[in-house]
Amino acid sequence: EKKRACHMDADVLVVGCGVVGAATTYYCAKNNMKVICVEQFYTPIHHRGGSNGTARCWRTAYADPFYSKLMSRALVLWKEIEADSGQTLLSSSGGIEFGPPSCQAIQATQDNAETTCTTMSGADVSHKWPLFSNMSTFKALHFTDYGTVQADKSLLTFIKLAQKNYGAQFKWGFTVKQWGGTKGDRWVISHTGQRLTAKHIIFCTGPSPITLPLLLQPTSSSSSEPVPVSELQGHSVETVNYLLCKPSNPENDSASSDNADRAEISSAFPSFAEYPEGASFFCSFYGLPEQHEGEWLLKVGDSITNKVRTFGVLEDYVKHRFGGKLVPVGWHSCRILVTPDEHLVLRGLGGECDDVLVALGTTHGFKHAPALAEWAACVVQGNCAPAQPGMVEGAPFGFTPPPSWEMPNPRL
């Protein structure tokens, strides 16, 4: 066993260098493991994945209490990363969540919040932030501890810390075409034939249509053909659209200079999420302030739960929700992996492949990335037990949380 380990390239191979992959590489390396992260593209900053862009929103309250607790841990880790790197990655602008008063997601979010919130009427929201329109039928929750995380900057920070502080290696332009081996003796082969070996593989491939099919298909020969992404147990790769908007004429929005100031977009403008009638977890539209070339814009996005998702739908929503007071000035898209239940994923492949992990941020994972990555690093070190009896086989969280978290098992 010792002789074989000496000839391995790494203790852990991380496949995919989006934010979850970069963070997983960082935490594995920080825990004294030799780590190699491989990425199919030649740069971590590109527009063909789910981690690119200027900003993502973060929030502390969820309809599912487990995600509220997961975010509490993630915030601790985000602040540690800021301290270790000397970089400011998070900002707090507050946030609002709103929807019909009978909306289950709004009530559950209020019940499960780890921090206090203020209940507001839709009219209160429009008065406090005059950009919002047509809000009279809504109930809203205002949280002061919501904010944004700088996406590209955070991704590069994880890579820099992992590489310079803990000796992790990154291989760019390495597309995994095959993987296989036996338990504790794994390998991957690239599109150019390069072979890497390690004790563990952690797939953080997100929206990649090339490597995702390999997750269910370990191979020992070169004859294996990947299956289409659409056939992988309901997994799919989706494109999420965003409109970048600015106030059309904020100085004339109100006779009050105070209201005119609040009608502008700035770092203090709240992120928001709107829930439709009947929603139990996911919102239908959301937005956050984002700075582009010194100018503050509002980035408004659609949800994968919307059956029709086009820029036309987004434009109609912006026109209605902001009463013509915002005009689109740009657009942005990203590709994300969507699991059947739309949850984050951390599980082993099972059986003789339980040393091969899948750690995916999916639809809402950027803000949770440090916690998910720390969890994955603890799993490969053997510090997290398999899922307790009663947990569904193949569930998104196949392991108990790290003991240091002092939080209950995921509610599945």
Side-chain angles (χ1 to χ4, degrees), residues 104-345:
Q104 180 183 345
I106 295 292
Q107 187 60 52
T109 298
Q110 185 173 13
D111 294 342
N112 298 322
E114 294 280 293
T115 56
T116 58
C117 66
T118 302
T119 302
M120 305 175 68
S121 67
D124 292 335
V125 172
S126 294
H127 177 74
K128 189 173 180 64
W129 297 284
L131 279 178
F132 288 99
S133 298
N134 303 308
M135 298 282 290
S136 60
T137 61
F138 289 151
K139 172 185 176 180
L141 305 177
H142 179 217
F143 294 86
T144 59
D145 57 351
Y146 281 28
T148 60
V149 54
Q150 297 190 44
D152 288 347
K153 188 176 180 181
S154 297
L155 176 57
L156 293 175
T157 296
F158 278 121
I159 294 171
K160 182 178 180 180
L161 289 177
Q163 196 169 33
K164 292 192 174 182
N165 291 12
Y166 302 107
Q169 298 180 51
F170 292 85
K171 293 185 178 293
W172 309 106
F174 189 110
T175 299
V176 174
K177 299 298 290 185
Q178 290 181 312
W179 71 273
T182 57
K183 190 171 182 178
D185 186 10
R186 296 294 173 190
W187 51 261
V188 299
I189 296 178
S190 76
H191 63 296
T192 62
Q194 184 177 359
R195 180 187 176 103
L196 294 174
T197 57
K199 297 177 182 177
H200 299 273
I201 303 174
I202 305 178
F203 285 97
C204 305
T205 48
S208 169
I210 297 176
T211 54
L212 180 61
L214 300 175
L215 297 185
L216 302 179
Q217 198 171 343
T219 62
S220 58
S221 69
S222 59
S223 62
S224 175
E225 292 294 331
V227 297
V229 173
S230 60
E231 297 179 11
L232 289 180
Q233 297 182 348
H235 293 69
S236 62
V237 176
E238 303 283 350
T239 298
V240 176
N241 301 316
Y242 301 96
L243 280 181
L244 302 175
C245 306
K246 70 176 183 179
S248 55
N249 196 7
E251 65 274 13
N252 295 328
D253 184 73
S254 171
S256 163
S257 60
D258 178 53
N259 273 4
D261 289 340
R262 288 180 290 170
E264 295 180 350
I265 307 299
S266 70
S267 60
F269 193 85
S271 60
F272 72 90
E274 178 174 337
Y275 295 83
E277 186 72 57
S280 60
F281 188 78
F282 287 99
C283 63
S284 53
F285 295 95
Y286 59 97
L288 63 153
E290 186 171 282
Q291 194 171 31
H292 286 263
E293 298 180 353
E295 181 181 19
W296 283 98
L297 305 174
L298 189 66
K299 181 168 79 172
V300 181
D302 60 0
S303 169
I304 59 168
T305 59
N306 294 337
K307 293 182 179 180
V308 179
R309 302 199 323 278
T310 66
F311 285 110
V313 170
L314 266 180
E315 288 175 347
D316 290 343
Y317 172 77
V318 168
K319 184 177 180 179
H320 173 72
R321 183 58 57 230
F322 300 99
K325 289 173 284 189
L326 284 181
V327 293
V329 294
W331 63 275
H332 171 65
S333 295
C334 69
R335 301 175 73 237
I336 58 174
L337 172 70
V338 181
T339 53
D341 56 11
E342 301 175 12
H343 282 289
L344 307 183
V345 174

